[in-house]
Amino acid sequence: MSSPILAFDGVTAGYRGKPAIEAVDLHIQPGELVGIVGPSGSGKSTLLRAVTGTTDIYAGTVTLHDRRVRAGHPTRDIGFVPQLALVEPDTPLRAADAVLHGLAASSRRVPWYSKAERAKASALLERLGLAGYERQPIGELSGGQQQRLLLARAMIADSSLVMLDEPTSGVDLQTLQDILGLLDELNRAGTTIVLTTHDLNWVAASLPRIVCINQRIVADGAPADVMTAEVLERTYGASVRIVRDGDRILVTDDRPHAASTSEAR
Ligand SMILES: Nc1ncnc2c1ncn2[C@@H]1O[C@H](COP(=O)(O)OP(=O)(O)O)[C@@H](O)[C@H]1O
Ligand SMILES: [Mg+2]
């Protein structure tokens, strides 16, 4: 097997001496598309932050591109889409400049942007349905537009690994489909993608590999193997029902009324 692009080996990490994830072993190969699922507070964001170098690591090693990540040393050469936190409405930063900030996080040598880089920012905005928004202050964009902007920012450096924290949360259906289509396209072009989500049905329907986490890794594998009532109960501590319909897997909570079932696509 080729060497992983990202490896967690026995990683315990957290904040101010308190672990949020424990004994995590996780190897991700170049070109994979991996979904991290788990309840609120289970350590999904912490797992991603352990890679960006923004959480404390108490045990084990996180290795990215054969280099060990050290806490407090922000990782370069990675596209990262943080969990959407809407900016203040009066934030004056213009959309194109926000996208170009994605280059500052990678290993750039000069402190200004070239014409080619600006053109690339415009092209990305267009690809994400934000054509003509270059000079728009980001505080004036809707939540879905801000989420797409964050994705453009993560893509501009052409990093081989893009990590997204809950990219499908709080966006409208059209934005959701745009984002999923784009991630699929990126992945087909060779980009390794790791995302967190709490949308079990979409994850079950779409991703080749799912990692269930609740401080520790509960399960890791293909949806057909991971999306079982037993695994999800251990992950979520709640009773769920799994309905299989050919290749499709639907997850519902265990209450009998149909309204709680959300069908994937
Ligand atoms: N900046 C922080 N400082 C202290 N504790 C934190 C911080 N961020 C997260 N935590 C704690 O770490 C645990 C895991 O949080 P998080 O990784 O954000 O979970 P998830 O993303 O799955 O909702 C929670 O108990 C949370 O309260
Ligand atoms: Mg989170």
Side-chain angles (χ1 to χ4, degrees):
M1 204 178 244
S2 61
S3 73
I5 189 169
L6 175 62
F8 286 73
D9 290 293
V11 175
T12 294
Y15 312 87
R16 292 189 292 271
K18 206 168 153 241
I21 56 173
E22 284 184 60
V24 167
D25 288 315
L26 177 64
H27 283 200
I28 293 173
Q29 302 298 327
E32 279 202 278
L33 169 55
V34 182
I36 313 287
V37 304
S40 178
S42 61
K44 301 182 295 297
S45 296
T46 303
L47 192 86
L48 301 188
R49 283 194 216 116
V51 183
T52 59
T54 49
T55 166
D56 293 331
I57 297 175
Y58 305 121
T61 54
V62 179
T63 313
L64 175 68
H65 297 299
D66 295 323
R67 285 192 303 272
R68 183 171 175 174
V69 176
R70 287 186 300 149
H73 295 260
T75 310
R76 290 160 177 269
D77 298 325
I78 190 171
F80 183 58
V81 179
Q83 204 159 340
L84 181 63
L86 295 180
V87 299
E88 291 294 322
D90 59 356
T91 305
L93 181 68
R94 295 182 193 279
D97 293 317
V99 173
L100 287 161
H101 277 186
L103 289 171
S106 71
S107 25
R108 59 183 288 107
R109 301 191 185 284
V110 293
W112 58 83
Y113 301 116
S114 68
K115 207 170 165 183
E117 286 168 337
R118 291 199 168 273
K120 192 171 178 188
S122 294
L124 275 171
L125 286 172
E126 186 175 345
R127 193 165 157 200
L128 284 154
L130 292 169
Y133 280 85
E134 285 83 353
R135 300 179 58 77
Q136 189 89 1
I138 60 173
E140 294 175 10
L141 300 179
S142 72
Q145 289 173 327
Q146 289 184 26
Q147 182 70 73
R148 284 183 271 165
L149 190 77
L150 287 173
L151 186 51
R153 175 170 157 272
M155 287 172 64
I156 195 163
D158 291 322
S159 307
S160 51
L161 174 67
V162 172
M163 300 196 308
L164 309 96
D165 202 357
E166 306 267 1
T168 61
S169 290
V171 299
D172 58 277
L173 197 60
Q174 183 60 54
T175 300
L176 178 66
Q177 286 174 350
D178 290 350
I179 288 174
L180 299 185
L182 203 82
L183 292 180
D184 189 51
E185 212 178 288
L186 259 189
N187 182 244
R188 281 171 200 272
T191 306
T192 308
I193 296 177
V194 180
L195 59 87
T196 69
T197 180
H198 63 246
D199 185 342
L200 282 179
N201 283 318
W202 175 69
V203 170
S206 311
L207 299 181
R209 180 178 175 191
I210 299 175
V211 176
C212 296
I213 186 169
N214 195 340
Q215 280 213 304
R216 292 168 180 268
I217 289 185
V218 176
D220 178 354
D225 301 324
V226 166
M227 303 298 282
T228 66
E230 190 259 331
V231 165
L232 295 179
E233 274 168 34
R234 276 202 290 140
T235 306
Y236 286 86
S239 195
V240 296
R241 206 152 56 87
I242 309 286
V243 181
R244 281 170 201 268
D245 171 17
D247 280 349
R248 288 191 311 174
I249 305 168
L250 305 180
V251 182
T252 81
D253 65 21
D254 216 7
R255 284 169 295 168
H257 56 88
S260 63
T261 306
S262 69
E263 185 173 333
R265 209 158 350 187

